[in-house]
Amino acid sequence: MPPFDLPEGDPFGPHNLPYGVFSLPGASERTVGVRLGDQVLDAAAAARALGSPHAALLARPTLNALLAAGRTTWSEVRRSLTEAVTDPAHRATVEPFFHPLSAVTLHLPFEVADYVDFYSSEHHARNAGAIFRPDGGDSLLPNWKHLPIGYHGRAGTVVVSGTEIVRPSGQRKAPTDAAPVFGPSVRLDIEAEVGFVVGVPSAHGTPVALGDFREHVFGLTLLNDWSARDIQAWEYVPLGPFLAKSFATSVSAWITPLEALEDARVTPPERTHPLLPYLDDAATEPAGYDLRISVALNGHVVSEPPFSSMYWTAAQQLAHMTVNGASLRTGDLYGSGTVSGPHEHERGSLLELTWNGRDPLELPDGKRAFLEDGDVVTLSAWAPGPGGVRVGLGEVSGRIAAG
Ligand code: MN
């Protein structure tokens, strides 16, 4: 069996162990699994066979019970699963609980509570500002360097990788149009993002401090914030995105625990403006993550956004979204905002890559300004891990269906 014989340096080796939820063919029960190479280990069955006290936490149809259990338990579960898949003494016991990834169905791994999306890449904000407000002077709005801009999205339409994305319909009106028209979006786009998954809730009325980020956040996942630019351009003033983004948000089937990303932690870009104390991270431990994202359109890589270039960290986003006393719930998901680096090939949306359609991409199957029906978008990523071994993040993929 391959799990114990993974090739050296496999990005889904025992140093990684992302969590997901799967079911077997013909079975309706869902249960928690961890990925090892191209196999998934039934974590509850392995824990039960090894006499682990955590079996009940893992024999669940979602990750939510594990998410709520807190940091000490997260570490204990991870330690015992690492032992289960690396200790030769356990090999015969756990081997029957591995299944090839190709033979299982992967599900949305957690029940999403609230969903928030940020706008924390300075390069993305400047590009979007220049595109949407060409005569607006500074492409960055005056508040941008003082707080992480965000909006509340729609938790109920967060879907797992592989779910078909039906082209949304809505109102659009170009500045030159006399009146709005209704129909399928003609400017359907992606946003390459990283989503952070909250485990431990917070009390209503009590802000979460910057330094408590890792007490609350369990892990991260790749996220594609599908966006209808034509609907967005007409509806977003003055309250921000609404129907342009609420039709679907895709996440990977795999949640990578923050504990697997210790070697990927980096200091965020230099702060150019003084920050209010609740956001001031000058004296805190580095909360940036060096994640190398790759965006493929129909199998062709069109962009490689570097997450380390994000101005606002996930710790600052968490502190900001609770500073007014808003509480966290287990299963809350918050997106980083489109990840765009300083270079043209590092832009995380077609809006930026094609400069709002002006400069279409040349793909092997033709030119592309925005997404066409049948297009498949796949985000993948890796991070530096222990001893130079990569930590693979589970991909998030979606195919566009006619609306
Ligand atoms: Mn977004």
Side-chain angles (χ1 to χ4, degrees):
M1 283 284 286
F4 283 89
D5 307 316
L6 279 180
E8 194 80 23
D10 190 300
F12 291 97
H15 61 292
N16 187 344
L17 299 184
Y19 291 88
V21 166
F22 74 98
S23 59
L24 294 171
S28 59
E29 303 101 76
R30 302 179 179 195
T31 192
V32 172
V34 289
R35 178 171 172 180
L36 195 67
D38 55 4
Q39 308 260 329
V40 55
L41 173 69
D42 182 333
R48 206 177 295 117
L50 293 171
S52 157
H54 304 301
L57 206 53
L58 299 167
R60 307 285 181 114
T62 71
L63 290 172
N64 287 53
L66 175 63
L67 295 179
R71 195 173 174 187
T72 304
T73 304
W74 302 340
S75 292
E76 286 172 8
V77 171
R78 179 171 166 78
R79 203 177 311 123
S80 63
L81 285 169
T82 305
E83 203 179 292
V85 300
T86 54
D87 187 340
H90 297 325
R91 182 169 185 153
T93 310
V94 302
E95 261 184 357
F97 306 120
F98 279 103
H99 307 278
L101 269 178
S102 56
V104 305
T105 302
L106 296 170
H107 303 279
L108 187 64
F110 62 105
E111 191 183 334
V112 183
D114 289 297
Y115 169 52
V116 164
D117 194 32
F118 284 94
Y119 187 61
S120 290
S121 157
E122 179 171 356
H123 307 290
H124 171 70
R126 287 193 183 279
N127 288 338
I131 291 167
F132 282 129
R133 301 183 304 277
D135 306 317
D138 189 350
S139 56
L140 221 49
L141 289 168
N143 56 4
W144 200 92
K145 286 287 180 91
H146 297 279
L147 53 85
I149 304 289
Y151 66 94
H152 280 93
R154 194 163 191 86
T157 47
V158 175
V159 297
V160 71
S161 176
T163 304
E164 197 168 65
I165 304 301
V166 177
R167 182 179 296 274
S169 287
Q171 279 197 34
R172 61 177 186 270
K173 180 188 171 302
T176 50
D177 292 343
V181 296
F182 181 89
S185 169
V186 295
R187 290 182 174 244
L188 185 54
D189 198 358
I190 60 156
E191 293 193 341
E193 303 196 20
V194 174
F196 289 81
V197 181
V198 172
V200 174
S202 66
H204 194 181
T206 307
V208 174
L210 262 186
D212 288 338
F213 166 66
R214 291 195 296 165
E215 302 301 322
H216 291 273
V217 172
F218 172 80
L220 55 77
T221 180
L222 289 174
L223 182 152
N224 187 347
D225 176 22
W226 305 97
S227 300
R229 300 300 180 195
D230 41 2
I231 298 172
Q232 182 180 358
W234 174 229
E235 76 175 2
Y236 89 108
V237 178
L239 287 184
F242 188 42
L243 303 178
K245 288 163 176 284
S246 63
F247 57 95
T249 305
S250 296
V251 293
S252 172
W254 299 104
I255 310 299
T256 305
L258 295 185
E259 275 195 273
L261 295 166
E262 277 302 293
D263 293 278
R265 291 170 64 196
V266 290
T267 305
E270 193 186 340
R271 277 65 178 85
T272 53
H273 291 55
L275 295 174
L276 287 167
Y278 79 95
L279 290 173
D280 188 352
D281 61 353
T284 63
E285 51 184 17
Y289 283 94
D290 180 9
L291 313 175
R292 324 284 177 91
I293 302 170
S294 183
V295 181
L297 180 45
N298 299 334
H300 183 76
V301 174
V302 296
S303 176
E304 293 182 306
F307 192 70
S308 59
S309 66
M310 299 297 277
Y311 191 85
W312 296 103
T313 68
Q316 289 170 316
Q317 292 169 337
L318 190 73
H320 185 63
M321 70 193 218
T322 59
V323 76
N324 64 348
S327 49
L328 299 173
R329 294 194 290 169
T330 297
D332 279 0
L333 170 69
Y334 62 102
S336 60
T338 309
V339 184
S340 290
H343 303 108
E344 284 190 23
H345 68 279
E346 296 175 335
R347 294 170 174 170
S349 67
L350 293 174
L351 173 77
E352 297 162 88
L353 288 165
T354 70
W355 213 254
N356 204 15
R358 186 193 69 190
D359 309 319
L361 296 174
E362 304 274 358
L363 297 180
D365 58 344
K367 288 191 175 189
R368 204 65 98 261
F370 290 94
L371 296 173
E372 295 181 2
D373 294 344
D375 279 350
V376 176
V377 179
T378 303
L379 311 183
S380 55
W382 62 273
V389 177
R390 293 180 174 191
V391 179
L393 302 196
E395 67 174 34
V396 56
S397 193
R399 179 183 174 277
I400 306 302

